[in-house]
Amino acid sequence: MSAATAISATSGSLNLDPVRALQHALYRAAKAEPGRRFHALGDKVHRRGVLRRAWAMVRRNNGAPGIDATTLTHVEEYGIERLLDELAAELKEGRWRPLPARRVFIPKPGVAERRPLSIPSVRDRIVQAALKIVLEPVFEADMLPCSFGFRPRRGAHDALQVLIDEAWRGRRWVVETDIANCFEAIPHEKLMQAVEERVCDRSVLKLLRAMLRAGVMEDGQVRRPVTGTPQGGVVSPLMANVYLHRLDRAWDARRHGVLVRYADDAVVMCTTRAQAEAALGQLKVLLDDLGLEPKAAKTRIVHLQVGGEEVDFLGFHHRWVTSRPRGGRRPIAFLARWPSDRAVQHARDRIRELTERRRMLRPVEVIVEDVNAFLRGWGAYFRFGNSAHRFDQISSYARMRIGGFIAKKHRRSRKFGWSVVAYAASDALGLVALHGTVVAPRPFRDWRGRPNAGGERRR
């Protein structure tokens, strides 16, 4: 395909999708003029195409109702077009006001600590999604390569690949940290200042301030703190990235090492201990300027070496190891990774939950189907690593739990249940096997298997 044909095809696809075309135009304008402040965005938020796309995003996420108890099914019964008409009119006339979000607490995998989650109403989630559709391309034009979380076409495995590449280059002194209560601690005024660097449309700024000030309802009481972009809101990840972009752009990789940030999780890859200590000091200074601080319990300096310490990042346990000698080849040292203890414990907890006694009245086929759905998702993420041993452990645990479930259901011994899974059924009742799905990471190679720009250095 020629370049002209490719450009024509791209333009044609954008013309078929007005929302994509809008985002593309905003991104190009922001990229072409880094100092430009956008003053005409409000009318784009309440466009019918944008609101329809926002509804599709909300429906796809299949979230819980907010404090008004309105579910997604209620909205469909009420009439989607009818609701979007109302929202468009309220936004156009400046009458839209968000409800406080419903505050719930969900357990963190592998620990006793619980994470606060704020659930806006369905109506408010649609408006937040529409605002995100319009604002994201503007701010995405400024985002730096060190940021990976909640960004289009970037993800956890892209961040993990940087660790492999930089460790291979010799950056094996690692600063690992986690920003304490990041989503809850971001000061509203400083966040709005960051937004106003690119946006001066008063209607959009008013919408954002209304969302931030809507507050949360907890135990029947509404709280309206002056900090935080609560987890659970559609626009919150974007706002967190906009604010933490100030950290990214102030970071000097030549002096302090390569920063890898995934939302509020971060590591810095350094060449020496002195550089790592300087990097940690710089992180604390920059976070303090933002009104944030690193979580003490998760902040440390690690030296990756054979037999040395390890780093846990994005669910993986990273350790510098030596390969086994094979066929006369000399062993090589490399950065290996596999599911962390916390990730494995989360998998065991979830499988145990799916096979509990309280689900005894359900058919075995349904239980296996539910366990398979979890194993497919968990395995799809962790297969890009040296995960074979951990996969064997989880596969064995799943078979054991299914066998125990069968034994209890039929009031027979565990041995009977295990024999049904292992021998009586030719395919282990259809239980997913994680064996043989592992893809070992390689330096300077995209985790999908493509070459990674010839191993060029990241600036």
Side-chain angles (χ1 to χ4, degrees):
M1 181 184 290
S2 67
T5 306
I7 292 172
S8 176
T10 302
S11 301
S13 64
L14 290 173
N15 289 334
L16 292 175
D17 186 343
V19 177
R20 285 279 306 280
L22 169 65
Q23 290 182 304
H24 186 66
L26 289 172
Y27 177 84
R28 286 193 305 172
K31 200 71 174 176
E33 300 181 63
R36 176 178 175 178
R37 299 177 70 211
F38 288 76
H39 65 278
L41 296 176
D43 63 308
K44 298 168 179 59
V45 175
H46 56 72
R47 285 186 185 180
R48 178 46 60 89
V50 171
L51 287 173
R52 284 200 189 99
R53 180 66 54 80
W55 159 254
M57 291 166 58
V58 171
R59 188 67 186 89
R60 186 167 59 247
N61 288 336
N62 198 29
I67 64 170
D68 60 354
T70 300
T71 65
L72 297 168
T73 303
H74 290 155
V75 170
E76 290 168 336
E77 292 172 352
Y78 181 78
I80 297 167
E81 293 299 321
R82 179 182 174 188
L83 175 64
L84 297 184
D85 281 340
E86 293 174 0
L87 287 176
E90 291 177 17
L91 290 167
K92 188 174 182 178
E93 298 166 14
R95 294 185 289 107
W96 177 80
R97 295 293 183 274
L99 294 172
R102 181 167 64 91
R103 173 60 60 88
V104 298
F105 292 87
I106 59 174
K108 288 187 176 182
V111 294
E113 188 180 354
R114 296 193 303 165
R115 176 185 289 113
L117 193 67
S118 302
I119 305 175
S121 69
V122 175
R123 289 170 56 96
D124 294 347
R125 294 207 296 272
I126 294 172
V127 175
Q128 287 193 29
L131 193 61
K132 179 177 182 286
I133 288 169
V134 173
L135 290 183
E136 186 172 60
V138 173
F139 290 106
E140 181 63 25
D142 297 333
M143 296 293 174
L144 298 175
C146 63
S147 171
F148 293 89
F150 306 111
R151 291 184 58 191
R153 300 181 183 180
R154 293 170 76 83
H157 287 289
D158 299 306
L160 292 165
Q161 185 62 44
V162 180
L163 271 64
I164 298 287
D165 296 348
E166 297 305 326
W168 189 261
R169 289 190 177 109
R171 291 190 172 100
R172 294 198 286 273
W173 284 92
V174 183
V175 179
E176 61 171 327
T177 191
D178 184 358
I179 302 173
N181 300 318
C182 177
F183 283 85
E184 300 292 321
I186 294 176
H188 289 173
E189 285 308 311
K190 287 187 175 183
L191 172 58
M192 292 306 301
Q193 289 171 13
V195 172
E196 288 170 14
E197 290 182 11
R198 273 303 207 169
V199 177
C200 58
D201 186 309
R202 292 189 176 184
S203 63
V204 169
L205 297 175
K206 182 180 177 182
L207 277 180
L208 272 176
R209 285 197 172 92
M211 291 174 185
L212 293 174
R213 294 171 180 170
V216 295
M217 178 173 284
E218 184 179 342
D219 297 328
Q221 299 292 322
V222 176
R223 295 191 303 104
R224 291 187 170 88
V226 295
T227 63
T229 173
Q231 283 183 282
V234 179
V235 80
S236 292
L238 173 62
M239 291 297 99
N241 271 338
V242 168
Y243 192 60
L244 292 176
H245 174 67
R246 291 185 162 191
L247 166 66
D248 301 341
R249 71 186 181 191
W251 191 259
D252 186 340
R254 292 183 182 274
R255 289 183 59 196
H256 297 117
V258 174
L259 173 68
V260 183
R261 183 179 65 78
Y262 191 95
D264 54 350
D265 267 348
V267 297
V268 185
M269 309 293 289
C270 304
T271 54
T272 65
R273 182 176 187 88
Q275 187 182 45
E277 290 173 347
L280 179 55
Q282 180 71 355
L283 268 176
K284 291 179 178 177
V285 169
L286 293 176
L287 289 175
D288 185 63
D289 290 343
L290 295 175
L292 304 172
E293 61 181 2
K295 187 177 293 184
K298 292 189 176 182
T299 301
R300 61 179 186 147
I301 295 175
V302 173
H303 186 201
L304 295 173
Q305 57 183 339
V306 176
E309 294 179 297
E310 70 290 330
V311 172
D312 283 356
F313 184 57
L314 300 182
F316 279 94
H317 177 92
H318 301 78
R319 186 182 288 270
W320 193 256
V321 301
T322 304
S323 64
R324 296 175 181 175
R326 292 181 180 176
R329 296 180 181 177
R330 295 176 59 186
I332 61 170
F334 64 99
L335 185 64
R337 68 171 184 243
W338 51 83
S340 66
D341 290 344
R342 181 180 293 186
V344 170
Q345 186 59 52
H346 167 61
R348 291 169 65 92
D349 291 344
R350 182 57 178 156
I351 293 169
R352 186 186 304 113
E353 180 184 338
L354 293 171
T355 54
E356 282 181 342
R357 186 186 294 271
R358 62 183 176 82
R359 308 188 80 207
M360 201 62 65
L361 294 178
R362 303 194 180 193
V364 174
E365 294 79 9
V366 171
I367 301 301
V368 170
E369 184 179 337
D370 291 345
V371 172
N372 279 348
F374 170 76
L375 289 177
R376 287 191 187 98
W378 194 85
Y381 180 79
F382 287 108
R383 67 186 292 255
F384 296 98
N386 311 90
S387 307
H389 179 62
R390 291 294 174 99
F391 275 16
D392 286 345
Q393 292 178 330
I394 294 303
S395 294
S396 296
Y397 184 75
R399 289 196 300 270
M400 182 196 75
R401 289 296 303 184
I402 293 294
F405 182 87
I406 293 172
K408 291 175 185 175
K409 190 174 183 67
H410 295 278
R411 298 182 180 180
R412 302 284 294 273
S413 67
R414 284 183 174 273
K415 185 177 180 180
F416 167 80
W418 175 255
S419 66
V420 170
V421 176
Y423 305 114
S426 59
D427 61 348
L429 298 175
L431 193 63
V432 164
L434 298 176
H435 314 288
T437 64
V438 172
V439 178
R442 295 288 185 268
F444 314 124
R445 193 164 187 84
D446 185 278
W447 60 274
R448 301 169 188 85
R450 300 191 297 261
N452 184 12
E456 293 181 2
R457 287 187 176 273
R458 293 175 178 83
R459 299 297 182 187

Coordinates of all heavy atoms in Angstrom, one line a residue, residues 100-105 115-121 125 128 184 215-217 223 229-234 236:
P100 N -23.5 13.4 44.6 CA -22.4 12.8 45.3 C -22.2 11.3 44.9 O -23.2 10.6 44.6 CB -22.8 12.9 46.8 CG -23.8 14.0 46.9 CD -24.5 13.9 45.6
A101 N -21.0 10.9 44.9 CA -20.7 9.5 44.6 C -21.0 8.6 45.8 O -20.9 9.0 46.9 CB -19.3 9.3 44.1
R102 N -21.3 7.3 45.5 CA -21.5 6.3 46.6 C -20.2 5.7 46.9 O -19.5 5.2 46.1 CB -22.5 5.3 46.1 CG -22.8 4.2 47.1 CD -24.0 3.4 46.7 NE -23.8 2.6 45.5 CZ -23.3 1.4 45.5 NH1 -23.0 0.7 46.6 NH2 -23.1 0.7 44.3
R103 N -19.8 5.8 48.2 CA -18.5 5.3 48.7 C -18.7 3.9 49.1 O -19.5 3.6 50.0 CB -18.0 6.2 49.8 CG -16.7 5.7 50.5 CD -15.6 5.6 49.5 NE -15.2 6.8 48.9 CZ -14.3 7.7 49.3 NH1 -13.7 7.5 50.5 NH2 -14.0 8.8 48.7
V104 N -17.8 3.0 48.6 CA -17.7 1.6 49.0 C -16.3 1.3 49.2 O -15.4 2.0 48.8 CB -18.4 0.6 48.0 CG1 -19.8 0.9 47.9 CG2 -17.7 0.7 46.7
F105 N -16.0 0.2 50.0 CA -14.6 -0.2 50.2 C -14.5 -1.6 49.7 O -15.3 -2.5 50.0 CB -14.3 -0.1 51.7 CG -14.2 1.3 52.2 CD1 -15.4 1.9 52.7 CD2 -13.0 2.0 52.2 CE1 -15.3 3.2 53.1 CE2 -12.9 3.3 52.7 CZ -14.1 3.9 53.1
R115 N -9.5 -0.7 49.7 CA -9.4 0.5 48.8 C -10.7 1.2 48.7 O -11.8 0.6 48.4 CB -8.9 0.0 47.4 CG -8.9 1.2 46.4 CD -8.5 0.7 45.0 NE -7.1 0.2 44.9 CZ -6.8 -1.0 44.7 NH1 -7.7 -2.0 44.6 NH2 -5.5 -1.4 44.6
P116 N -10.8 2.5 48.9 CA -12.0 3.3 48.8 C -12.4 3.4 47.3 O -11.5 3.7 46.5 CB -11.7 4.6 49.4 CG -10.2 4.8 49.3 CD -9.7 3.4 49.4
L117 N -13.6 3.2 47.0 CA -14.1 3.3 45.6 C -15.3 4.2 45.6 O -16.2 4.0 46.4 CB -14.4 1.9 45.0 CG -14.6 1.8 43.5 CD1 -13.4 2.1 42.8 CD2 -15.2 0.4 43.2
S118 N -15.3 5.2 44.7 CA -16.5 6.1 44.6 C -17.2 5.8 43.4 O -16.7 5.8 42.3 CB -16.0 7.5 44.6 OG -15.2 7.8 45.8
I119 N -18.5 5.6 43.5 CA -19.4 5.2 42.3 C -20.4 6.3 42.0 O -21.3 6.5 42.7 CB -20.1 3.9 42.6 CG1 -19.1 2.8 43.1 CG2 -20.9 3.4 41.4 CD1 -19.8 1.5 43.5
P120 N -20.1 7.1 40.9 CA -21.1 8.1 40.5 C -22.3 7.5 40.0 O -22.4 6.3 39.6 CB -20.3 8.9 39.5 CG -18.9 8.4 39.6 CD -18.9 7.0 40.1
S121 N -23.4 8.3 39.9 CA -24.6 7.8 39.2 C -24.3 7.5 37.8 O -23.4 8.0 37.2 CB -25.7 8.8 39.4 OG -25.4 10.0 38.6
R125 N -21.8 9.4 35.2 CA -20.7 8.6 34.5 C -20.7 8.9 33.0 O -19.7 9.0 32.4 CB -20.8 7.1 34.8 CG -20.6 6.7 36.3 CD -20.1 5.3 36.4 NE -21.0 4.3 36.0 CZ -21.9 3.7 36.7 NH1 -22.1 4.1 38.0 NH2 -22.7 2.7 36.2
Q128 N -19.1 12.3 32.6 CA -17.7 12.2 32.8 C -17.0 11.5 31.6 O -15.9 12.0 31.2 CB -17.4 11.4 34.1 CG -17.6 12.1 35.4 CD -17.0 11.4 36.6 OE1 -16.0 10.7 36.5 NE2 -17.7 11.5 37.7
E184 N -6.8 10.2 46.3 CA -7.5 10.9 47.3 C -6.8 12.2 47.8 O -7.4 13.0 48.4 CB -7.7 10.0 48.6 CG -8.5 8.7 48.3 CD -10.0 9.0 48.0 OE1 -10.6 9.9 48.6 OE2 -10.5 8.3 47.1
G215 N -18.4 15.5 45.9 CA -18.3 14.8 47.2 C -18.7 13.3 47.1 O -19.0 12.8 46.0
V216 N -18.7 12.7 48.2 CA -19.0 11.2 48.3 C -20.0 11.1 49.5 O -19.9 11.8 50.5 CB -17.8 10.3 48.5 CG1 -16.9 10.4 47.3 CG2 -17.0 10.7 49.8
M217 N -20.9 10.1 49.4 CA -21.8 9.8 50.5 C -21.3 8.5 51.1 O -21.2 7.4 50.5 CB -23.2 9.6 50.0 CG -24.2 9.2 51.1 SD -25.9 9.2 50.5 CE -26.3 11.0 50.5
R223 N -19.7 14.0 52.3 CA -18.4 14.7 52.5 C -17.9 15.3 51.2 O -18.0 14.7 50.2 CB -17.4 13.7 53.1 CG -17.7 13.2 54.4 CD -16.5 12.4 55.0 NE -16.0 11.4 54.1 CZ -14.9 11.5 53.4 NH1 -14.2 12.6 53.4 NH2 -14.5 10.5 52.7
T229 N -9.4 13.1 43.4 CA -10.2 12.8 42.2 C -10.5 11.3 42.4 O -9.8 10.4 41.9 CB -9.4 13.1 40.9 OG1 -10.2 12.7 39.8 CG2 -8.0 12.5 40.9
P230 N -11.7 11.0 43.0 CA -11.9 9.7 43.6 C -11.8 8.5 42.6 O -12.3 8.6 41.5 CB -13.3 9.8 44.2 CG -13.5 11.3 44.4 CD -12.8 11.9 43.3
Q231 N -11.2 7.4 43.0 CA -11.2 6.2 42.2 C -12.6 5.7 42.0 O -13.4 5.6 42.9 CB -10.3 5.1 42.9 CG -8.8 5.4 42.8 CD -8.1 4.3 43.5 OE1 -7.9 4.2 44.7 NE2 -7.5 3.4 42.7
G232 N -12.9 5.4 40.8 CA -14.2 4.9 40.4 C -14.9 5.9 39.4 O -15.7 5.5 38.6
G233 N -14.4 7.1 39.4 CA -14.9 8.1 38.4 C -14.3 7.8 37.1 O -13.1 7.5 37.0
V234 N -15.1 8.0 36.0 CA -14.5 7.7 34.7 C -13.4 8.7 34.3 O -12.4 8.3 33.7 CB -15.7 7.9 33.6 CG1 -15.2 7.6 32.2 CG2 -16.8 7.0 34.0
S236 N -11.4 10.3 36.5 CA -10.4 10.4 37.5 C -9.0 9.9 37.0 O -8.0 10.6 37.3 CB -10.8 9.6 38.7 OG -11.9 10.2 39.4

